[in-house]
Amino acid sequence: MVKGTRVCCLSVRRIGGSSRLIDLPFSGLIVRTRGCLLLFLLICLWDPSLSGNDNSEALPESIPSAPGTLPHFMEEPDDAYIIKSNPIVLRCKAMPAMQIFFKCNGEWVHQNEHVSEESMDETTGLKVREVFINVTRQQVEDFHGPEDYWCQCVAWSHLGTSKSRKASVRIAYLRKNFEQDPQGKEVPIEGMIVLHCRPPEGVPAAEVEWLKNEEPIDSNLDENIDTRADHNLIIRQARLSDSGNYTCMAANIVAKRRSMSATVVVYVNGGWSSWTEWSNCNARCGRGWQKRSRTCTNPAPLNGGAFCEGMSVQKITCTSLCPVDGNWEVWSEWSVCSPECEHLRVRECVAPPPRNGGKYCEGLSQESENCTEGLCIQDIENASDIALYSGLGAAVIAVAVLVVGVTLYRRSQSEYGVDVIDSSALTGGFQTFNFKTVRQGNSLLLNSSMQPDLTVSRTYSGPICLQDPMDKELMTESSLFNPLSDIKVKVQSSFMVSLGVTERAEYHGKAHSGTFPHGNNRGFGTIHARNKAAYIQNLSSISTKSELKTTAIFGHLGGRLVIPNTGVSLLIPHGAIPEESSWEIYLAISQRESSLQPDGTDVLLGPEVSCGPLDVSVSTPFALTIPHCAELNSEHWNIHLKKRTQQGKWEEVMSVEEETTSCYCLLDPYACHILLNSFGTYALIGEPISDCAVRQLKVAVFGCMSCNSLDYNLRVYCMDNTPCAFQEVVSDEKLQGGQLLEEPKLLHFKGNTFSLQISVLDIPPFLWRIKPFTACQEVPFSRVWCSNQQPLHCAFSLERYTPATTQLSCKICVRQVKGHEQILQIQTSILENERETITFFAHDDSNFPAQMGPKAFKIPYSIRQRICATFDTPSAKGKDWQMLAQKNSINRNLSYFATQSSPSAVILDLWEARHQHDSDLDSLACALEEIGRTHSKISDVTETEIEEPDFNYSRQNGL
């Protein structure tokens, strides 16, 4: 009790009743004149039973005759729940208040259990008092009354008392077992689904939430679903995507409880398609039959739906008229002899005429012959015509003889050879060179030892090195460090030489090698001049407008088509091509400048890939793999798949993150695997959402000797981190004689508008030198970010002090301003026979561009059939194809697989596409074991299965 509080014990006798002893706590109460009456009034306020009223709950709000204010509760105790053994705190706050005490279950709480705080209201100046008490679990359990444990507080002021609301205190709990678990159902499509759930008993009452495949269901996002009706889940019209495992989740402040999962299968009953047209009569002559057919595909049965009832084929009898071949009638009489001394006769094919598809008569329908036995004399005009033609023939012969004579004379007077005297052709594009007769000792000759054949036109393909004898300076600065790859020099009898970029031959799995004129040194890959500033040029100057392409013939067993060392592949599943059919399928990468021009900051993330033929469609989806250079992060990139139409325009197929049933995209860190039903030309477009979007670039350094024996050229490439981009650079460098000097490294280039810097560092002094202010070059951001699949090329020229220097050691620094940096350590010999060879590609698949039949697949067909038969069937425990997809990290757009005739087969096809370079069958086996549908790994196949003729390759693949 608060200090200064007095307890007055009074013995009061009620009229007509016995006396009662009352403990009245009060503070600072002074009884003056008429004190007994005031004390009695306070006693009546404290215990209304003394006033003759038996209702102890009826307390007056105020005393009307007295001035002032009764206590007003600013905070009343709230209902509370005791969780486990943790006590709860009840609080009460009133103004004005001299004292506040709690009463629980009709009894006063001891003063020592109160915690009181006193303050003054700044606005009114009245005293504010706040009191706290603790209620323990033991107190609540020990109370045995007709109602719940309750507490209320009573506040005193000079004018009287006020009582707060009653706050109930209960022990919170939640039973373990549901009163009713949801039950699995099989419903037809567009039917109603009702799943009942009665949660366990608990205090407070549990709230219910529904889960589908472990994901919460929000009925506010789907008007077709209602979860508000007495904890039940109602789906008004079932869809295929509604198939799944449903769980009822009950929770209150104490715990959460899960019901048994209920498997819902939405099935589709099959429906007949329209009848086809009647076929032709199978008998060419006489009695036969015709047929028409229909298929159970409108819709096809799915998820155990009933197959169509009735016949799929109808036959009727037919009669075909037998064909009658035509025959000639007899010849007519000869006609009268004509002025040309000929007469003729005719016949017709009418004996009989051809009918019902019979053959027409063979032979001529008209004959003519001389009717004067060769004695016919023609008109005199014919003789004059013969004389005219004879004169013209003689004139033609005379002209021909004259031309031949002039030609022979010119040959006898000519000296053979060419001499280039116009060096502006290096920068003028496709220009014509001037030539003059050979001078002895001229250093500008392309090849002084080679005599041209003036009768035959030859084309030479390869790099050409031209020098100026005056201080080794080139005529134009713009050609500095320009590789001038694929130069074509054509020598003709007119002594004219033209320059042009050659067309690279179609790819057939072998590396291209350049052909050179006699005596040319292939090591000269770059035109270089000393004391000229290095500059950056785009690799489009050395790239070729060609197409990497591979083709193969596939049948019903399917197979795999790969463009070697590019990361692009095409998987044709078993059964995608009809039986007894064979298709020639091609796969190509366009290396022309793409016709797809991204908008704004959008970028082309991979190659433009074409597959065909375009006029056929497969029965099951095929898998197309396209590499990409994006660092995957859904917060930074929005990636789209686009397809080129027959009119040459590009249209969006889908966004990779969207849900669709037309196709499926699965993004791996370095490749995108796409399931498609139609061939065409496809490309991946990246839309950066923030400045943190990263485009992965591969940095590679190539080197070769220059025309000057003391010079050495370094070429630094920044290309998309895709195998096909690296393949293009390697092909171009082979034509220039370049060698890879260091393993390529990965640079993370952000879309933050900062430029790229490339520099050469730590050049050995006294051995090598580089012209001042040329060791560092900077490339604008837009040129790197919007390169549109064209590699960035930067060239540096180093010069040796003496020919004895054969080792080169330096560093190449490639960095983005305020971004990522890579250092390439160059340690090489400039002599080819001493240089260490660096592997270009991690997976060299050039020996197997196409695999047909079972050898193209990692999983044997018998095992594949067993997996599909197991997981395509819905299971009440949820162990079906959806679980197979989840274990293979396929968690998005599952509705696409639900529309397939065999979802498991399509999932396995996607697994095959993702694991073409590894035989990671153990991970698949572990996933199957974890699901619980198999008790042995796939690698433990019985010997009888391994000895099957179609799958004897399985041991080699790790099975």
Side-chain angles (χ1 to χ4, degrees), residues 829-841:
S829 171
I830 64 175
L831 302 179
E832 291 189 11
N833 55 355
E834 298 179 3
R835 186 179 296 131
E836 180 182 357
T837 303
I838 300 176
T839 304
F840 285 156
F841 302 102

Side-chain angles (χ1 to χ4, degrees), residues 272-297:
W272 289 114
S273 65
S274 301
W275 288 102
T276 61
E277 297 294 332
W278 288 104
S279 65
N280 296 327
C281 194
N282 69 326
R284 190 164 180 263
C285 178
R287 187 178 180 82
W289 51 267
Q290 295 174 276
K291 70 175 182 179
R292 65 175 182 175
S293 61
R294 58 180 179 175
T295 57
C296 189
T297 57

